[in-house]
Structures are given as structure tokens and as C-alpha cells.
Amino acid sequence: MGRLAGFVTGIANVGGLAATLFFAWALAGAVPFGMGSAGAALAQETSPGPVITEIAVQGNQRIESDTVRSYMLLRPGMSYDPSIADASLKQLFGTGLFADITMRQQGGRVIVSVVENPIVNRVAFEGNSALKEEDLQKEVQLQPRVVYTRAKVQGDVTRMIELYRRSGRFSASVEPKVIQLPQNRVDLVFEITEGPKTKIASINFIGNTRFSDGKLREVVSTGESAWWKFLSSSDTYDPDRLTYDRELLRRYYLQRGYADFRVVSAVADLSRDDAAFHITFTVDEGEVYEFGDVAVKTSLDKLDQAELDSLVLAKSGEIYNAGLIDKTIDALTFAAGTSGYAFAEVRPRVSRRKDERVIDLTFQITEGPRVYVERINITGNSRTLDKVVRRQMRMSEGDAFNKVLLDKSEKNIRALQYFSRVNVTQDPGTAPDKTILNVDVQEQSTGSLSLSAGFSTLDNAVAGIQLSERNFLGRGLQLSTSLSISKRRQLIEFHYTDPYFLDRDLVGGFDLFGSETNFQNESSFDSRSQGFGFRFGFPLSEKSRFLARYQFRFDEIFNVHPAASPVVKAAEGSDYRSIIGYDYYYDNRNDPIDPTGGWDFLFTQNFAGLGGTVRYVSTEVLTRYYYQIAEGFLTSWRLDGGYVQGVGQDVELNDHFFKGGSTIRGFARAGVGPRDLASPNRDSVGAKAFIFGTSELSFPNGIPEALGIRTSVFVDAGYIGYSDFDRTLFPGVVDDFAPRASVGLSLYWQSPFGPIRLDFANVLLEEPYDEQETFRFSAGTSF
């Protein structure tokens, strides 16, 4: 049976080979064994068609016939070939110019009938309010005078829906409507149903044991929806924000010793009614590590080992903190750069002892390859001049590349607040020792029109308007004008500042101002002031600046009450003041907006008498110190003092210091200091000298950080007094340079309606004639 099976298989293989040869021969045009008619037919189908004598185009309106023919592969003089004709059809459809195409052959004539796609006449959007029309226009490819196609419409719809999703509206829908017009034109209308924002119903955490869900919710930037967040976008779902939240969680844990921490997953589940998302973070905390052996090693001769060791913030035995490692790298890199090693590289070597939960750390400082800045490219600034960005760079073309200076340059550009995005990258240069810096920015609006309204116990109702431009003409010039009106004070002012006067690191500017203030409650008079001034400043170092100024001012005391103090009556009238002054400012804080460490210092002097009718010398000093005791606990100290002395004359009433209110809480405005007790209103007459200090402790209040409510306790204390009034002429004036002190509680709420501040104070030390104010309230908003 085996031999029989093999024989049959062999016969089958031979038969298959014979059949293959037969069909190949037939296709080649042979006619074997009585198959003449079928073979002739097959030969006729594969033989070349008639020669093309003409290609006629029909149905075209805008597009020239020659243009249609140019897209085809068939040409007159060629033999008609169905496969080439099919390829020509595909190529014509691929142009996107035609809605339909047919092709037929009549002898040597090929007829191509086309139906052209219409031209878009206008693109309109209906139903959009959350997104501006210009934002939607950027997403659509179809524009006026562009060929309309269904594929482009679908692409535009998809992009617009994605744009709405990124703004938190996942139920948004877009329906395109086409309106036919004469001459094969169409109007395209996108009917938009935006729907409500898809809120965050809940944020949950799985795997966390050390920190509660509530604490971790305060860490992430995404927040759960609440009624008070109607002016915020943090409670809407954004996939990019969710990615950022993963990084925030990682940083939070790494700064608290959890070196093995990782976010396993971050999932956003949309509810069945598409109304809200439920976000779940799954985390793996790991164990808490401590710093083990910490050392700095270098072979660079000019570096002082003791100085390098003092710059290391990570200490052996302390809880591991990745943030301290980054800060130490910056400090060591900067120290090496200032010692002449512009190309120094600091690399942390980490050795983990998992059994002991200890991380040994060695900072290795080496001199990296010498690299120089070949070119600095600035892109994205369509309005802001290149030089405005370049002057913030701490490196120029040809300078040695320095990573610390590059980071400072990027921070300086961000600090301008001209750009919504700043991205600084490096590209290889034309040689191994050269690098190209790319500064890519995205401009944002720098002008603002603000209307403000508020209330305070000092000014009652307050209303104002302010118009400002921080980047006038794209040159970085700053212009602002404002008008403020309250029951107590009316103010109008204009300010112009050039932060790079004469294209150098100099500040120049001028001011115009006018104000009228009601002092009837404090001192039984009204005051008016009008004038102008000039300013000129320059940096003395990386942290200090000097500002010189001149001001000419017209001051008037008027509307004096008939029963006012004789001091006030004697001051009634007008004066001219010609004032030269200067400021010296040193800022050593770790953050200029929300400091948690460091200090700053301001020294101010004014000299009046270069012209005008008033002569005096005034000096004021202000210093502040910040120290974070622990997370959430911030202490701050403030010392403020001043002294004014007449030159050849007594100090005028307008030049005295009137303190109280926000200066020393617990006392009314002008509530402390010399006072004329003989007057019915017990008028305040001001002081020549004062010194006040404040100690304040901010602490957690248990209220979610999302509400923006901060609390602090404070102690205010100081002295005020020294007036030079003749007691024989003004016997009712009392002046005791005596201590005053108060303690209290402050609440600050960054509410949706604007900042609100409440101060509750209790006076500890006072003089019998001082005026108290145990509660102080202020609020305001911009819209």
C-alpha cells in the first residue's frame, strides 16, 4: 500500500505541473487542442486597446481641462489600457478637487466627466460661548476660498470636539451644515452644542497609608467640584493636568523620604450620564529612607572642600528629601562656576541600602567638556522684540555655557509675565564644543482693564478703574493709569516705566498724580495733593538695587473744621514741595511672591528744600525676615521705623507720620501718637518719629487649602511720638513716646469675589488718648 500511495502522489504532482504549463502557454497566446474560441477571447482581452486620439473633459467649471488632463496617466498617442485608466481615476480623486469622476472610451476618444467639489464661501460658528470664535478658527482646515470635502469637515469636527474636551466639556457636539450657493459655492456652518463642563465628582487614592486622601487631594492640582470654585478651572477634567498631578505626587513623596514611591495608575472614569469624572490614583508608597553617608568629591584644585561641604543641604541621619539633592546640585554648580569652572558638572551618586532603608549620597564634581554658546534663537515672539527677551539671558553668543545661568535666564523670561509658555532647549552646534540655545515662547495678553469694587472699615465703599500695559509696543515698556473713588479718598495717577532705560539694565520713568483725602474723622481737615516725579534706578548686585527720584508736589490743607485744633488751623493753606530722594533695597528671600525663608531690607531717604516752600529730611527703614518652622508653620518678623526733621523750620503737619490701622493693629487710623485733647474732635497731629515691630505666625487651620483661607496670630508693638509744637501756643497737645502693643488673629481668604482680610486685635499697651479699633475688615475684587 505504501508503494501504491507514493505512485499516486507522483502522478498527481506531474499532473499539477502539466496543468500549470498548459495555462501559462494559453495566456501567452497559444491555442491548443480545440480550445480556439476561448483562447482567442482571452488573447483579445489582454491585447492593447485602440490608440487614444483625444481626451475630452466634461462637467468642469472652475478647473481648466488641461489641468484635469495633467493629473491623468493616459495621454493621446498611447494605447488605451484599463489598468492605466484606473490609476488615472485614483489620481484624480486624490487631488480632492472632485466629488465624482467617471471615465469611458468611445473608440480612440476617452471622455472624462467630473463633478467639482464646491468652494467654501464662508465658515461660521453658532452656539459657541465658552470658546472664542478665533480659537475655533485655528482648529479648522476649511477656510474661505478652500475646496470643500467631506473628509476635511470630519477632521475639523474631530479637532473642535477635542478642543472642547480639553476645556472640560466632554458632552459637546458639533454638527456641520452646508448651505448651497450659486456658482458651486457653499457656506459651512458648524452648529455647536457646548453642554456643561464635566466636573470632578471625586478624587480617590488607593494604596496610601501614610497620608490621608484629604492630604493628597491638597497636593494634586485637580480638585473636586464645589460651589465656591465657579471661578476656577481646577475642578474640570484635563488629561494633561492629570499627568502633572502624577508628578506632583511623586515630588511630594520623594521630599518626605519615600524613595521607592511610584504612581501605579491614574484613571479617570466618566459617569454614565457624562456629567462628572471619578478620578482614582493607585500609589505604591514604599518605605521611608534616611540619608546615610553624604560626601562631596572633586579633583578640581581651586575648589575649597570645606566650602563645598557647607553647601550640602542633605545631612546624614535626616529623612531623605529629593528636593534637597536638586538644590545642592545647583549650589555646588554655582560655586564651581564662580571659582572659574564654567563647565563643571555635578553628578549625584546614589547607593541604596534597602535592608537598612538608608541612601548614601556622593556629589561628584568634575570639569565637563568645554562648550560655548554659538547662537541664541528666539521664536514665537510675534509682538515682543527679540532684544526684550535677549536682555533677560545671562549668557550671550560666544560665552561659556553654564547650566545655572541658563536656568536663571529661563526664570527671568518667565518673570516678565509676557509669555504663557517659555521653553529653553539646546541643540548641537556646528562643532563639538558649541551649542545652540533655542528660546521658544508663546505670547499672552499683557494689557488689562480692571474695574474694582470693595468695602473696608477705613474707606467704606471703594470703586476704581485701572488701565495698564506691561509690554507697550513690544518693547517691555510699562504704562498704567488708574482712578479710585471712595467716601474718604479720590485718586488719579499715571505711571510710565522703562525697565531697560537706554537699552541698559537701568530703570527710568515718570509719574503724574493727584489725590484728595478726607481727614475729618482723624484731624478735622481735608488734604489735596498734585504733582509729578521722575525715577532712575540700577542694580548694585544680583540682589540689591538703588533707585533715585525727584518729585515736585503741590499740597493743600483746606476745609478745616471751625472747632479744629489750633495746630490744624495754623497749617491751613498750600505749600510747594521739591523733593529729592533715594531707595536702597536688598532682597534675600527665597521667593519674591510667597517667601518661606530669607529676608529683605529697604532704606529710604527724602530731602525737601531744593526749591519749594518746605524743607526737611525724612528717613525710613523697613526690614522683614521669614522662617518656616515646619510644613504649614511660617514665622515672619517685621521692623519699620522712620524719622523726619525740619531744616531751618518746623515740620509741617502734612509731613508728620500718622500711624495706626494696618501699621499697628488694634488701633484706628492715626489712632496713636500726638493728639490735641483740647479740640472737640481730639485731633491727631502726627509724629516726627516711630518704630514698630510685628511678629506673626501662620499655621494650618484644618480648612482645605482649596478654599484659600489662611490664618495667623500676631503681636504688634512699637513707639511713636516726638512733635515739635510749641506747648505755649498749643497747650492741648499731648505727646508721649510711650510703648503700644497689641495681639490678635488674622484671617485671609482669597475668595472668588476677591481678597478678604479680617483682623481681630486686643490692645495690651496704650495711652489714655489713643483710639482703638478691635476689628478691621477689608475686601475687593476685579471684574
Side-chain angles (χ1 to χ4, degrees):
M1 292 295 292
R3 292 181 178 178
L4 180 60
F7 177 78
V8 172
T9 301
I11 292 297
N13 290 337
V14 172
L17 178 59
T20 300
L21 294 173
F22 170 78
F23 282 109
W25 181 43
L27 289 173
V31 187
F33 306 113
M35 298 290 293
S37 59
L42 184 59
Q44 187 176 3
E45 289 178 6
T46 58
S47 61
V51 175
I52 300 174
T53 59
E54 179 189 2
I55 299 178
V57 180
Q58 298 177 351
N60 54 315
Q61 300 177 17
R62 302 183 314 274
I63 304 172
E64 297 291 337
S65 298
D66 287 341
T67 302
V68 177
R69 296 187 190 99
S70 67
Y71 289 116
M72 299 175 60
L73 300 178
L74 292 174
R75 296 285 187 270
M78 295 175 54
S79 297
Y80 181 83
D81 189 328
S83 61
I84 298 178
D86 182 63
S88 297
L89 279 175
K90 292 178 180 178
Q91 192 149 316
L92 286 171
F93 273 112
T95 63
L97 299 173
F98 309 105
D100 190 24
I101 307 169
T102 60
M103 187 181 298
R104 65 182 186 275
Q105 177 193 0
Q106 292 182 350
R109 193 165 181 259
V110 176
I111 301 173
V112 182
S113 299
V114 299
V115 178
E116 294 178 352
N117 275 322
I119 293 293
V120 177
N121 177 66
R122 183 174 66 95
V123 178
F125 304 90
E126 294 181 356
N128 60 301
S129 59
L131 294 181
K132 297 179 180 179
E133 184 168 323
E134 52 263 32
D135 295 330
L136 295 172
Q137 284 282 6
K138 295 177 183 178
E139 297 299 319
V140 298
Q141 290 183 345
L142 287 172
Q143 302 289 341
R145 297 181 299 278
V146 172
V147 176
Y148 169 89
T149 67
R150 292 182 180 180
K152 289 181 180 179
V153 172
Q154 282 305 118
D156 290 343
V157 169
T158 301
R159 280 187 292 274
M160 283 191 284
I161 290 178
E162 179 62 25
L163 189 64
Y164 271 102
R165 290 195 168 194
R166 288 191 171 275
S167 66
R169 299 177 186 273
F170 279 75
S171 59
S173 61
V174 179
E175 183 69 25
K177 300 291 185 181
V178 178
I179 302 173
Q180 299 290 341
L181 299 175
Q183 299 178 352
N184 199 24
R185 295 176 301 123
V186 295
D187 282 345
L188 179 61
V189 180
F190 292 101
E191 295 183 354
I192 301 171
T193 303
E194 294 182 326
K197 281 193 172 183
T198 310
K199 300 294 185 177
I200 306 297
S202 65
I203 300 177
N204 303 303
F205 297 87
I206 299 175
N208 55 309
T209 57
R210 176 61 180 85
F211 301 102
S212 65
D213 284 14
K215 182 60 183 177
L216 295 182
R217 289 190 191 103
E218 295 175 358
V219 174
V220 298
S221 60
T222 304
E224 294 180 342
S225 299
W227 66 269
W228 63 81
K229 296 181 180 179
F230 61 89
L231 293 179
S232 172
S233 61
S234 64
D235 60 342
T236 57
Y237 174 69
D238 185 341
D240 292 336
R241 187 186 294 126
L242 202 63
T243 302
Y244 178 57
D245 288 339
R246 295 173 67 116
E247 178 62 19
L248 291 178
L249 288 171
R250 190 185 72 85
R251 292 181 188 175
Y252 183 80
Y253 272 91
L254 289 179
Q255 291 175 359
R256 286 156 181 80
Y258 293 87
D260 295 330
F261 173 82
R262 63 190 182 96
V263 179
V264 178
S265 63
V267 179
D269 294 319
L270 186 60
S271 60
R272 293 184 177 180
D273 58 358
D274 294 342
F277 276 97
H278 299 271
I279 296 178
T280 303
F281 293 95
T282 303
V283 301
D284 181 5
E285 292 181 327
E287 300 291 339
V288 177
Y289 283 75
E290 294 181 351
F291 284 117
D293 298 330
V294 181
V296 180
K297 293 183 179 180
T298 181
S299 58
L300 304 180
D301 298 335
K302 295 180 182 179
L303 297 183
D304 182 7
Q305 185 67 44
E307 180 184 354
L308 296 178
D309 292 338
S310 66
L311 296 175
V312 178
L313 301 177
K315 306 298 181 183
S316 179
E318 294 183 353
I319 298 297
Y320 173 80
N321 186 336
L324 296 180
I325 298 177
D326 295 335
K327 292 179 180 179
T328 300
I329 291 174
D330 290 342
L332 293 175
T333 303
F334 184 78
T338 56
S339 298
Y341 296 100
F343 311 98
E345 292 183 350
V346 180
R347 295 184 179 180
R349 310 289 186 183
V350 176
S351 177
R352 187 172 310 195
R353 290 181 272 163
K354 287 192 174 183
D355 295 340
E356 304 175 46
R357 294 199 294 275
V358 169
I359 292 179
D360 296 327
L361 186 61
T362 301
F363 294 96
Q364 187 72 42
I365 305 178
T366 59
E367 188 168 15
R370 293 182 175 271
V371 178
Y372 297 89
V373 178
E374 178 180 3
R375 190 170 66 252
I376 299 177
N377 299 323
I378 300 174
T379 58
N381 55 321
S382 58
R383 176 169 174 263
T384 304
L385 300 182
D386 273 14
K387 69 176 184 179
V388 175
V389 180
R390 287 184 182 275
R391 65 196 185 194
Q392 300 301 323
M393 299 291 294
R394 290 295 175 261
M395 291 180 291
S396 301
E397 281 93 343
D399 288 351
F401 175 79
N402 187 300
K403 182 64 167 63
V404 174
L405 295 180
L406 183 65
D407 292 341
K408 286 187 177 182
S409 301
E410 184 172 354
K411 291 178 182 178
N412 289 345
I413 298 172
R414 293 181 189 277
L416 292 174
Q417 298 183 351
Y418 301 163
F419 311 108
S420 60
R421 176 179 54 80
V422 178
N423 187 27
V424 180
T425 58
Q426 292 177 245
D427 284 338
T430 56
D433 63 341
K434 294 181 180 180
T435 184
I436 297 174
L437 302 182
N438 300 307
V439 182
D440 183 39
V441 298
Q442 181 175 333
E443 293 189 307
Q444 63 181 3
S445 174
T446 55
S448 65
L449 172 64
S450 300
L451 304 176
S452 61
F455 177 84
S456 72
T457 52
L458 173 62
D459 295 326
N460 295 327
V462 181
I465 180 172
Q466 181 181 41
L467 178 65
S468 64
E469 171 58 60
R470 301 192 310 274
N471 188 19
F472 184 62
L473 300 177
R475 298 177 178 271
L477 305 177
Q478 301 169 10
L479 298 177
S480 70
T481 182
S482 62
L483 172 67
S484 177
I485 300 175
S486 70
K487 181 179 180 181
R488 182 178 176 274
R489 191 183 192 200
Q490 297 82 48
L491 171 68
I492 184 170
E493 54 187 359
F494 174 82
H495 303 284
Y496 167 84
T497 302
D498 185 350
Y500 272 80
F501 186 57
L502 301 177
D503 285 331
R504 304 185 67 180
D505 194 7
L506 306 172
V507 175
F510 67 87
D511 311 287
L512 301 172
F513 58 88
S515 67
E516 189 170 309
T517 308
N518 184 332
F519 284 103
Q520 294 293 335
N521 291 336
E522 296 87 0
S523 302
S524 303
F525 71 89
D526 291 342
S527 174
R528 181 182 294 122
S529 182
Q530 302 167 1
F532 64 89
F534 302 96
R535 291 169 282 114
F536 178 77
F538 52 88
L540 297 175
S541 67
E542 189 73 23
K543 298 182 179 180
S544 62
R545 298 191 69 87
F546 180 87
L547 177 69
R549 61 183 178 278
Y550 172 79
Q551 186 181 91
F552 186 85
R553 201 171 73 212
F554 168 80
D555 293 330
E556 181 182 9
I557 291 178
F558 67 102
N559 199 20
V560 175
H561 194 278
S565 164
V567 174
V568 178
K569 291 182 177 180
E572 187 175 10
S574 59
D575 293 303
Y576 294 91
R577 287 166 171 77
S578 178
I579 304 170
I580 297 176
Y582 69 90
D583 295 337
Y584 170 78
Y585 182 63
Y586 189 91
D587 189 355
N588 195 39
R589 297 173 297 172
N590 60 359
D591 189 299
I593 305 299
D594 192 14
T596 58
W599 57 275
D600 63 346
F601 173 78
L602 174 65
F603 182 85
T604 299
Q605 273 197 317
N606 291 312
F607 304 89
L610 186 67
T613 60
V614 177
R615 295 184 299 277
Y616 68 81
V617 177
S618 174
T619 304
E620 291 189 61
V621 176
L622 169 66
T623 183
R624 295 171 294 188
Y625 178 77
Y626 304 87
Y627 180 74
Q628 185 169 340
I629 302 174
E631 186 178 358
F633 292 87
L634 175 66
T635 60
S636 62
W637 288 269
R638 173 190 173 109
L639 184 64
D640 189 8
Y643 181 76
V644 58
Q645 177 63 51
V647 178
Q649 63 182 57
D650 293 337
V651 178
E652 297 292 334
L653 182 65
N654 262 355
D655 301 315
H656 281 82
F657 297 112
F658 292 84
K659 296 297 180 180
S662 59
T663 308
I664 177 167
R665 286 161 285 189
F667 295 91
R669 176 182 170 83
V672 293
R675 187 176 298 275
D676 189 347
L677 300 182
S679 61
N681 193 39
R682 296 164 56 94
D683 292 332
S684 174
V685 294
K688 290 175 58 178
F690 75 93
I691 180 169
F692 289 111
T694 295
S695 178
E696 192 159 354
L697 171 65
S698 299
F699 57 90
N701 50 29
I703 301 174
E705 289 187 9
L707 289 176
I709 298 178
R710 301 201 304 266
T711 55
S712 64
V713 291
F714 63 84
V715 177
D716 290 347
Y719 292 80
I720 184 170
Y722 288 147
S723 60
D724 51 12
F725 301 114
D726 189 338
R727 297 297 191 274
T728 60
L729 298 176
F730 311 111
V733 174
V734 292
D735 178 12
D736 299 300
F737 197 72
R740 275 84 166 179
S742 64
V743 296
L745 172 71
S746 284
L747 298 177
Y748 179 84
W749 180 27
Q750 187 61 45
S751 74
F753 315 100
I756 295 177
R757 186 182 183 93
L758 305 175
D759 291 316
F760 303 89
N762 180 48
V763 173
L764 301 179
L765 295 174
E766 63 172 328
E767 291 300 301
Y769 50 83
D770 291 338
E771 295 185 1
Q772 295 187 17
E773 183 183 68
T774 57
F775 171 70
R776 188 176 182 85
F777 166 80
S778 62
T781 188
S782 295
F783 51 88

